[in-house]
Amino acid sequence: MQPDLNRVIEQVSKEKGIDRGIIVKALEEAMLSAAKKTFGHEKNIEAKFNTELGEVELFEIKTVVEHVEDPENQVTLEVARSKIDPEAEIGDELLAKLPPEKFGRIAAQAAKQNIIQRVRDAERDIIYNEFKGRKGELFSGIVQRFEKKNIIVNLGRTDAILPEKEQIPRERYRQGDRIRAFILDVELTGKGPQIVLSRTHPGLLIKLFEQEVPEIYEGIVEVKGAAREPGGRAKIAVTSNDRDVDPVGACVGMRGTRVQAVVQELRGEKIDIVPWTSDPAEYVCRALAPAKVSKIIMDEDEHTMEVIVPDDQLSLAIGKKGQNVRLASRLTTWKLDVRSEAEAEDEARRARASLTGIPNVGDVTAELLYQNGFKSAEELAASDEETVGEIEGIGPERAAGILAAAREHVQRLREQEAQAAAEAAAAAAAAAAGAGGGEESAAAPVEPVGEETQR
């Protein structure tokens, strides 16, 4: 043992950022373990760190008894008074100091390993506690190495992992490059804390805007949502808590400097800044910009919207490979079905024709049913009386009759389709059989005419 452990404890405490008490406890436990290996596990031994001496003292605990039953931990009154404490009484627990120099090499090595392990565990706990509260924050680090396609990033006190699936496509890094990433998750594993980073999470976009736009950081401008297709395009919805502050203008900045700084950090990812509104239909219209929207049909129960756009705006609304409508759907959290006016008119025509085909359902009733989401006689037949009865202009008294007519109509159509299919199958079978017979006749040998006469 070193003559003064105080200096060593202080040094380790400062270097590792570990509380002095944890190191002292680790020393005491290590010395106690080593002592038991040297003197025997059956002995009752106590370890205490003496700050004045700068060493861990070991004491053997002996109980004073009349008759000794356990020689390792008990002592008679006579022996106790003569060798340990002259004022000892029956039942007292006496401490006798053990010489630490008697430790064997194996016990000393075990004590050293115990101290190293305890300090390492304490360091892991400190790092975990430090980073678990930073989940969802932006952090900078240095690219340390590559493990398969994952990037190991040095955050200073510890390493973090940037998995392949959390990397922006076509983004490349070299060892030593500085990288900014979003802390996605912090877990405490058997090997210590594992910090998972992300460059694809929408939170990265929000945090970057927070750094670039003081109004967001101060709470004047609020981010209501973000959606990304990493490396391609992103949408972020913002609103202002101050009527004098334009949320979109604040995010764009003078001559676009603020938004360009974010675009540069995301390697050229295009960013649409959407002004948020509490009206879902208007919010969807804004999210689909630059496309213009003609009409929206909303289904709140299914949380879906049918968005109708002019014919020349369809490709713009959908975007490249459906990117624009996907991002708008994620941003607004509504399921969107985008179609052109021509498609909508064609569908409406077919729906009205299907509904007016039901006996006793006129144009007005068919229009009411269509406006309430019924697009065919089959859909109406599958509905229930309560749903149809709630439609204004139809009412419960007419609902039962309309439903009965619709179901009878659909059943008749299905029977006609089945009969037509059976007739078509029979005709096809007959045609196949006729073709087979013709081939057989053609294949039969032709008997020569007039052969006998010639003979």
Side-chain angles (χ1 to χ4, degrees), residues 9 14 54 63 87 185 198 216 327 330 363 395 420 429 439-440:
I9 292 168
K14 285 181 181 178
T63 304
E87 297 179 358
D185 197 13
S198 174
I216 293 178
L327 287 172
R330 285 186 216 155
D363 292 342
E439 283 173 11
E440 192 175 324

Side-chain angles (χ1 to χ4, degrees), residues 267-375:
R267 303 294 192 269
E269 192 171 301
K270 294 176 183 176
I271 301 171
D272 297 333
I273 301 170
V274 179
W276 180 83
T277 174
S278 57
D279 180 4
E282 179 62 26
Y283 188 25
V284 166
C285 291
R286 293 178 183 183
L288 284 169
K292 303 287 187 295
V293 176
S294 302
K295 183 181 177 184
I296 283 181
I297 301 168
M298 188 188 305
D299 185 345
E300 293 188 7
D301 294 335
E302 297 293 327
H303 206 66
T304 61
M305 286 191 197
E306 186 180 322
V307 183
I308 298 165
V309 299
D311 295 355
D312 61 344
Q313 297 278 302
L314 183 61
S315 59
L316 190 62
I318 293 173
K320 186 180 179 182
K321 296 180 180 177
Q323 189 181 66
N324 193 50
V325 71
R326 271 199 311 274
L327 287 172
S329 180
R330 285 186 216 155
L331 184 69
T332 61
T333 70
W334 283 79
K335 187 178 179 182
L336 306 179
D337 179 16
V338 179
R339 57 184 62 198
S340 68
E341 289 177 345
E343 289 174 339
E345 286 173 11
D346 188 45
E347 183 191 77
R349 197 181 303 113
R350 290 197 307 269
R352 291 186 182 103
S354 177
L355 291 168
T356 52
I358 302 169
N360 301 323
V361 173
D363 292 342
V364 176
T365 305
E367 187 63 29
L368 288 171
L369 290 166
Y370 175 69
Q371 292 298 333
N372 281 272
F374 293 104
K375 296 180 180 178

